[in-house]
Amino acid sequence: MEASKAFYREVLGLRIIMDFDANVTLTGGICLQTKESWLRLIQAEKEEFSFCGRDTELYFEEDSFDDFVRKLSEQDFIRYVHPVVEHPWGQRVIRFYDPDYHIIEVGENMEVVCRRFLDTGMTAEEVAKQMDVPLKYVSRCIRAGEKHGVK
């Protein structure tokens, strides 16, 4: 549990809201549970429990994706699922494991992706098509950027 708390605090910047030893609540609604406590809650036997199922992930977005990836690369304890990849809709993501081998995905904030495409000279319609999102979403990203002084 201590390794997991440190990981989520140091790598993902989450804070502990409540700590009951066997159950810890972090910002963002993430809860950590000890294996023993979890087995009792779901009324399962130890043999029914395994790590590294690769069937679930926690997803986060980062506004400063390049800075996050650089910070991640400075941590020698990170075990990667894969390096940075760019999806067809333009979002860059990286996946890695937490201390208990749960998959963590950190993606570039989708509004940042939208603004990146707009900054290349693409029209709002072209961005919507490239990202496979409604034009309304692109317009909202443009308005949000203007509100925060971003072109």
Side-chain angles (χ1 to χ4, degrees), residues 20 28 35 45 86 93 97 126 133 137 142:
F20 300 113
K35 177 180 173 182
E45 297 299 320
E86 185 170 325
V93 302
Y97 296 104
E126 291 169 330
V133 297
Y137 177 80
I142 292 169

PDB file of all heavy atoms in Angstrom, residues 20 28 35 45 86 93 97 126 133 137 142:
ATOM      1  N   PHE A  20      -7.447   4.919   5.487  1.00  0.00           N
ATOM      2  CA  PHE A  20      -7.906   3.986   6.508  1.00  0.00           C
ATOM      3  C   PHE A  20      -7.045   2.727   6.516  1.00  0.00           C
ATOM      4  O   PHE A  20      -7.525   1.656   6.862  1.00  0.00           O
ATOM      5  CB  PHE A  20      -9.374   3.614   6.272  1.00  0.00           C
ATOM      6  CG  PHE A  20     -10.305   4.794   6.310  1.00  0.00           C
ATOM      7  CD1 PHE A  20     -10.960   5.204   5.163  1.00  0.00           C
ATOM      8  CD2 PHE A  20     -10.533   5.498   7.480  1.00  0.00           C
ATOM      9  CE1 PHE A  20     -11.823   6.288   5.187  1.00  0.00           C
ATOM     10  CE2 PHE A  20     -11.384   6.579   7.518  1.00  0.00           C
ATOM     11  CZ  PHE A  20     -12.038   6.984   6.365  1.00  0.00           C
ATOM     12  N   GLY A  28      -9.508  12.676  -7.486  1.00  0.00           N
ATOM     13  CA  GLY A  28      -9.927  12.094  -8.757  1.00  0.00           C
ATOM     14  C   GLY A  28     -10.829  10.891  -8.575  1.00  0.00           C
ATOM     15  O   GLY A  28     -11.184  10.214  -9.536  1.00  0.00           O
ATOM     16  N   LYS A  35      -5.128  -6.106  -0.927  1.00  0.00           N
ATOM     17  CA  LYS A  35      -5.610  -7.367  -1.494  1.00  0.00           C
ATOM     18  C   LYS A  35      -6.504  -8.093  -0.489  1.00  0.00           C
ATOM     19  O   LYS A  35      -7.590  -8.567  -0.831  1.00  0.00           O
ATOM     20  CB  LYS A  35      -4.422  -8.234  -1.899  1.00  0.00           C
ATOM     21  CG  LYS A  35      -4.783  -9.588  -2.441  1.00  0.00           C
ATOM     22  CD  LYS A  35      -3.524 -10.349  -2.816  1.00  0.00           C
ATOM     23  CE  LYS A  35      -3.806 -11.766  -3.195  1.00  0.00           C
ATOM     24  NZ  LYS A  35      -2.576 -12.504  -3.514  1.00  0.00           N
ATOM     25  N   GLU A  45     -11.726 -16.026  -2.623  1.00  0.00           N
ATOM     26  CA  GLU A  45     -10.561 -16.701  -2.067  1.00  0.00           C
ATOM     27  C   GLU A  45      -9.292 -16.168  -2.731  1.00  0.00           C
ATOM     28  O   GLU A  45      -9.323 -15.670  -3.866  1.00  0.00           O
ATOM     29  CB  GLU A  45     -10.661 -18.213  -2.310  1.00  0.00           C
ATOM     30  CG  GLU A  45     -11.847 -18.866  -1.628  1.00  0.00           C
ATOM     31  CD  GLU A  45     -11.808 -18.721  -0.112  1.00  0.00           C
ATOM     32  OE1 GLU A  45     -10.712 -18.833   0.481  1.00  0.00           O
ATOM     33  OE2 GLU A  45     -12.878 -18.494   0.490  1.00  0.00           O
ATOM     34  N   GLU A  86       0.738   7.557 -31.060  1.00  0.00           N
ATOM     35  CA  GLU A  86      -0.265   8.537 -31.471  1.00  0.00           C
ATOM     36  C   GLU A  86      -1.407   7.808 -32.167  1.00  0.00           C
ATOM     37  O   GLU A  86      -1.205   7.086 -33.139  1.00  0.00           O
ATOM     38  CB  GLU A  86       0.330   9.584 -32.409  1.00  0.00           C
ATOM     39  CG  GLU A  86      -0.668  10.679 -32.739  1.00  0.00           C
ATOM     40  CD  GLU A  86      -0.051  11.861 -33.483  1.00  0.00           C
ATOM     41  OE1 GLU A  86       1.111  12.207 -33.208  1.00  0.00           O
ATOM     42  OE2 GLU A  86      -0.762  12.418 -34.341  1.00  0.00           O
ATOM     43  N   VAL A  93      -0.572   8.993 -26.375  1.00  0.00           N
ATOM     44  CA  VAL A  93      -0.777   8.327 -25.088  1.00  0.00           C
ATOM     45  C   VAL A  93       0.441   7.483 -24.750  1.00  0.00           C
ATOM     46  O   VAL A  93       1.228   7.114 -25.624  1.00  0.00           O
ATOM     47  CB  VAL A  93      -2.037   7.427 -25.085  1.00  0.00           C
ATOM     48  CG1 VAL A  93      -3.280   8.221 -25.427  1.00  0.00           C
ATOM     49  CG2 VAL A  93      -1.883   6.251 -26.021  1.00  0.00           C
ATOM     50  N   TYR A  97       2.610   0.480 -15.912  1.00  0.00           N
ATOM     51  CA  TYR A  97       2.012  -0.235 -14.792  1.00  0.00           C
ATOM     52  C   TYR A  97       2.223   0.514 -13.485  1.00  0.00           C
ATOM     53  O   TYR A  97       3.262   1.145 -13.276  1.00  0.00           O
ATOM     54  CB  TYR A  97       2.654  -1.616 -14.632  1.00  0.00           C
ATOM     55  CG  TYR A  97       2.420  -2.544 -15.797  1.00  0.00           C
ATOM     56  CD1 TYR A  97       3.427  -2.787 -16.720  1.00  0.00           C
ATOM     57  CD2 TYR A  97       1.199  -3.193 -15.964  1.00  0.00           C
ATOM     58  CE1 TYR A  97       3.222  -3.652 -17.791  1.00  0.00           C
ATOM     59  CE2 TYR A  97       0.989  -4.058 -17.027  1.00  0.00           C
ATOM     60  CZ  TYR A  97       2.007  -4.288 -17.937  1.00  0.00           C
ATOM     61  OH  TYR A  97       1.802  -5.137 -18.985  1.00  0.00           O
ATOM     62  N   GLU A 126     -11.967  20.521 -40.634  1.00  0.00           N
ATOM     63  CA  GLU A 126     -10.917  19.519 -40.860  1.00  0.00           C
ATOM     64  C   GLU A 126     -10.501  18.850 -39.546  1.00  0.00           C
ATOM     65  O   GLU A 126     -10.262  17.647 -39.504  1.00  0.00           O
ATOM     66  CB  GLU A 126      -9.697  20.160 -41.534  1.00  0.00           C
ATOM     67  CG  GLU A 126      -9.944  20.587 -42.967  1.00  0.00           C
ATOM     68  CD  GLU A 126      -8.828  21.460 -43.528  1.00  0.00           C
ATOM     69  OE1 GLU A 126      -8.175  22.196 -42.753  1.00  0.00           O
ATOM     70  OE2 GLU A 126      -8.622  21.404 -44.759  1.00  0.00           O
ATOM     71  N   VAL A 133     -14.720  13.899 -34.092  1.00  0.00           N
ATOM     72  CA  VAL A 133     -15.540  14.509 -33.051  1.00  0.00           C
ATOM     73  C   VAL A 133     -16.510  15.486 -33.724  1.00  0.00           C
ATOM     74  O   VAL A 133     -16.272  15.926 -34.848  1.00  0.00           O
ATOM     75  CB  VAL A 133     -14.682  15.258 -31.997  1.00  0.00           C
ATOM     76  CG1 VAL A 133     -13.759  14.297 -31.250  1.00  0.00           C
ATOM     77  CG2 VAL A 133     -13.884  16.394 -32.620  1.00  0.00           C
ATOM     78  N   TYR A 137     -17.763  20.253 -30.685  1.00  0.00           N
ATOM     79  CA  TYR A 137     -16.666  20.028 -29.734  1.00  0.00           C
ATOM     80  C   TYR A 137     -15.467  20.909 -30.096  1.00  0.00           C
ATOM     81  O   TYR A 137     -14.859  21.532 -29.226  1.00  0.00           O
ATOM     82  CB  TYR A 137     -16.258  18.549 -29.719  1.00  0.00           C
ATOM     83  CG  TYR A 137     -15.083  18.270 -28.816  1.00  0.00           C
ATOM     84  CD1 TYR A 137     -15.255  18.146 -27.446  1.00  0.00           C
ATOM     85  CD2 TYR A 137     -13.796  18.160 -29.330  1.00  0.00           C
ATOM     86  CE1 TYR A 137     -14.185  17.906 -26.608  1.00  0.00           C
ATOM     87  CE2 TYR A 137     -12.713  17.917 -28.492  1.00  0.00           C
ATOM     88  CZ  TYR A 137     -12.917  17.795 -27.144  1.00  0.00           C
ATOM     89  OH  TYR A 137     -11.848  17.575 -26.315  1.00  0.00           O
ATOM     90  N   ILE A 142     -12.134  25.850 -29.202  1.00  0.00           N
ATOM     91  CA  ILE A 142     -11.678  27.169 -29.653  1.00  0.00           C
ATOM     92  C   ILE A 142     -12.090  28.226 -28.639  1.00  0.00           C
ATOM     93  O   ILE A 142     -11.276  29.063 -28.223  1.00  0.00           O
ATOM     94  CB  ILE A 142     -12.249  27.489 -31.060  1.00  0.00           C
ATOM     95  CG1 ILE A 142     -11.622  26.552 -32.103  1.00  0.00           C
ATOM     96  CG2 ILE A 142     -12.002  28.956 -31.417  1.00  0.00           C
ATOM     97  CD1 ILE A 142     -12.298  26.607 -33.478  1.00  0.00           C
TER      98      ILE A 142
END
